[in-house]
Amino acid sequence: MIKQRYTVRRGILVNVVLLVLILMFAVISMNSGKMNLSPQEVLNVLLGNGTGKQNLILFDFRMPRIVLSILVGLGMGAAGVVMQSLLRNDMASPGTLGISSGSGLFVLFFVVFIASAGKSSFIALPLLAFVGGLLAAGLIFLLSYHRGRNLSPIGLILTGVALGSGYGALTTFLTLKLDDSQMDFMLNWLAGSLWGADWRYISVLAPWVLILIGYIFYKSRMLNTLHLGYQTAEGLGLSVKRQFVGLSIAAVALSSGAVAVGGSFFFVGLIAPHMARKLVGPDHKLLIPAASLTGGLVVVLADTITRTVNLGGDVPTGIVITVISVPYFLYLLAKAN
């Protein structure tokens, strides 16, 4: 009898370990930075016994950034799982489908036409990024749809790449209208700088991410069925189109909201599901939390590195994520071939 490699017990254990690692790096991150706080001082602040300066450092500067990095990773990891499962393609992600370019274009619209006019609000940017991502996804599916035929995963990705190039051209054109401060913001956003480390943005992003991940986890059985193939799912009585649309919108909302406040972290949506699938297997009841936690761990680890290791300057978190993730991704590609 062949022993099953992936078990529920193993999956639960992996998820618990990932959660512990996130908490561990969050604690390390609280003690790290240009303004040093010892572990005892951090503990005093958390217990309400810190000085005014210590409270300012921890609650106004460090904790918002730590919480934001975790939320961004959670959202991107869950969004990547949904897209890869719906399209049955391990290369699918918000980035490869061109959704990132749509969100980025609308972020640029916000900077050029809304923020510059003094009409900005802390909820406007996440909503605009969601609208941009949703319009990009809708256009991709519309151009890939053929009556009487199932959607082709390869066709969707190629359409996304083509549209992403068009969005990139529009983005380049609009950048000509930016002043120096606006250009600095867009460059930091594109590099993944976790710019929205403010409790106002987090108060919008946290329920957004947690509710949508809860919805996706609730649909884990549906994702397991869809992953078998659309014809098989229809044969089992599943309404494929309705589930596909609902889960797609949830994934777009997750990724767009997360990157609007954090920056361009779409690579996390590609790599986190791969790493989680290696750890817990294909069952979405275990895979969804594992991919979310893996994404959170990757982002908080990268952010901790940027603030603890002297990298010769203020390096955005997104660049560090790329550096530590690309070798693993290349290993996966080499092993697949």
Side-chain angles (χ1 to χ4, degrees):
M1 183 177 179
I2 300 175
K3 186 177 180 180
Q4 188 176 2
R5 181 182 174 186
Y6 299 112
T7 63
V8 174
R9 182 178 179 182
R10 171 190 168 124
I12 293 174
L13 179 61
V14 167
N15 279 294
V16 170
V17 170
L18 289 171
L19 180 59
V20 171
L21 287 173
I22 288 176
L23 295 175
M24 183 182 74
F25 280 109
V27 171
I28 293 173
S29 191
M30 289 180 195
N31 292 276
S32 306
K34 296 178 181 178
M35 296 173 284
N36 291 326
L37 287 180
S38 68
Q40 183 60 46
E41 289 173 331
V42 170
L43 181 60
N44 288 337
V45 173
L46 294 177
L47 293 175
N49 300 320
T51 65
K53 180 181 178 181
Q54 291 169 348
N55 289 332
L56 180 68
I57 293 172
L58 190 61
F59 290 124
D60 290 358
F61 295 140
R62 292 187 185 170
M63 286 192 69
R65 189 176 177 99
I66 293 168
V67 174
L68 178 62
S69 65
I70 294 172
L71 288 173
V72 168
L74 291 175
M76 293 308 303
V81 165
V82 172
M83 291 184 177
Q84 290 178 10
S85 297
L86 288 180
L87 300 181
R88 290 169 291 142
N89 190 313
D90 290 344
M91 291 301 295
S93 74
T96 56
L97 286 175
I99 295 170
S100 60
S101 301
S103 294
L105 181 60
F106 272 64
V107 168
L108 187 56
F109 283 157
F110 171 85
V111 173
V112 174
F113 299 111
I114 297 179
S116 61
K119 301 177 182 178
S120 176
S121 72
F122 64 91
I123 198 172
L125 182 55
L127 287 177
L128 274 177
F130 169 57
V131 170
L134 192 61
L135 287 177
L139 189 57
I140 291 166
F141 290 128
L142 181 63
L143 293 176
S144 303
Y145 175 75
H146 299 282
R147 184 181 294 273
R149 292 167 53 187
N150 289 326
L151 289 171
S152 167
I154 298 298
L156 282 169
I157 291 177
L158 291 176
T159 303
V161 170
L163 288 175
S165 299
Y167 298 141
L170 285 174
T171 299
T172 302
F173 174 75
L174 283 175
T175 54
L176 300 176
K177 299 178 177 292
L178 300 180
D179 58 30
D180 290 342
S181 63
Q182 292 171 334
M183 180 63 77
D184 287 342
F185 172 82
M186 283 306 301
L187 290 175
N188 285 328
W189 184 89
L190 290 170
S193 62
L194 292 171
W195 72 271
D198 185 288
W199 290 118
R200 294 178 304 162
Y201 291 109
I202 292 171
S203 67
V204 174
L205 183 62
W208 184 308
V209 168
L210 297 178
I211 290 172
L212 288 171
I213 290 179
Y215 169 77
I216 290 172
F217 181 76
Y218 174 72
K219 294 289 185 178
S220 56
R221 280 187 60 193
M222 303 295 181
L223 282 168
N224 282 337
T225 306
L226 288 170
H227 196 62
L228 298 174
Y230 298 151
Q231 291 183 342
T232 302
E234 288 176 350
L236 294 172
L238 189 67
S239 177
V240 172
K241 290 184 179 179
R242 186 177 66 184
Q243 299 298 334
F244 188 96
V245 170
L247 287 165
S248 296
I249 291 175
V252 171
L254 264 178
S255 59
S256 300
V259 300
V261 180
S264 184
F265 285 93
F266 289 99
F267 193 72
V268 178
L270 177 63
I271 196 68
H274 283 274
M275 299 172 73
R277 202 173 284 111
K278 290 285 184 181
L279 294 172
V280 301
D283 184 356
H284 286 83
K285 290 183 178 179
L286 300 170
L287 179 59
I288 291 169
S292 301
L293 292 171
T294 300
L297 178 61
V298 168
V299 180
V300 76
L301 172 61
D303 186 54
T304 303
I305 291 173
T306 62
R307 295 194 293 110
T308 55
V309 180
N310 185 6
L311 299 175
D314 190 11
V315 179
T317 304
I319 293 177
V320 177
I321 289 175
T322 303
V323 170
I324 64 178
S325 299
V326 164
Y328 177 73
F329 189 63
L330 292 176
Y331 161 76
L332 289 178
L333 290 176
K335 193 173 181 181
N337 294 330

